[in-house]
């Protein structure tokens, strides 16, 4: 299952959040408001604990900021099973896998 992690932090600290989780997550969005911003992204269940621990190391959710973890009923397009390579190689591999899955269902 996929979760949405939303982190409410003071303005200007979104780069710290991105660095804390080691990479730009899939579907990451930064929404700025008056004096604060929200960093939102999707994450598989098995990675949530690691993300929370990384955030806690820099004090998010402990001394500053708010971390919300929400269960998603559905997400479109489907959450990728592997990280997408910049070259598009993994994208092509995923398309082939989906094509085989569809053909298998039709048999």
């Amino acid at each position: 299952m996929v979760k949405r992690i939303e982190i409410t932090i003071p303005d200007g600290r979104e780069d710290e959040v991105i660095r804390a989780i080691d990479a730009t997550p899939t579907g990451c969005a930064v929404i700025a408001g008056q004096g604060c911003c929200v960093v939102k992204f999707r994450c598989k269940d098995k990675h949530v604990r690691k993300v929370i621990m990384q955030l806690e190391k820099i004090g998010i959710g402990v001394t500053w900021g708010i971390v919300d973890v929400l269960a998603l009923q559905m997400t479109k397009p489907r959450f990728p099973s592997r990280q997408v390579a910049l070259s598009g190689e993994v994208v092509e591999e995923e398309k082939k896998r989906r094509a085989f899955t569809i053909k298998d269902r039709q048999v």
Side-chain angles (χ1 to χ4, degrees), residues 50-78:
K50 179 185 173 194
V51 169
I52 298 298
M53 288 173 52
Q54 293 291 90
L55 294 170
E56 286 177 345
K57 282 182 184 176
I58 63 169
I60 300 173
V62 178
T63 56
W64 60 281
I66 301 166
V67 180
D68 296 316
V69 179
L70 307 145
L72 297 178
Q73 294 277 335
M74 184 186 93
T75 185
K76 271 295 212 190
R78 187 175 175 200

Side-chain angles (χ1 to χ4, degrees), residues 1-5 41-45 47-48 51 79:
M1 183 175 263
V2 179
K3 304 284 188 188
R4 173 171 295 282
I5 299 178
F41 58 93
R42 297 176 296 167
C43 181
K44 287 190 174 184
D45 275 342
H47 301 296
V48 170
V51 169
F79 193 74

Side-chain angles (χ1 to χ4, degrees), residues 70-107:
L70 307 145
L72 297 178
Q73 294 277 335
M74 184 186 93
T75 185
K76 271 295 212 190
R78 187 175 175 200
F79 193 74
S81 58
R82 292 175 36 187
Q83 190 68 18
V84 177
L86 293 177
S87 65
E89 293 168 6
V90 176
V91 173
E92 290 303 316
E93 186 178 312
E94 181 69 15
K95 285 181 183 176
K96 287 178 187 175
R97 187 189 64 75
R98 286 184 184 173
F100 288 127
T101 302
I102 291 169
K103 288 179 183 176
D104 289 344
R105 288 182 191 163
Q106 293 174 352
V107 175

Side-chain angles (χ1 to χ4, degrees), residues 22-41:
D22 294 331
T24 303
T26 303
C28 182
V30 178
I31 302 166
Q34 292 182 349
C36 68
C37 66
V38 177
V39 178
K40 301 166 60 166
F41 58 93

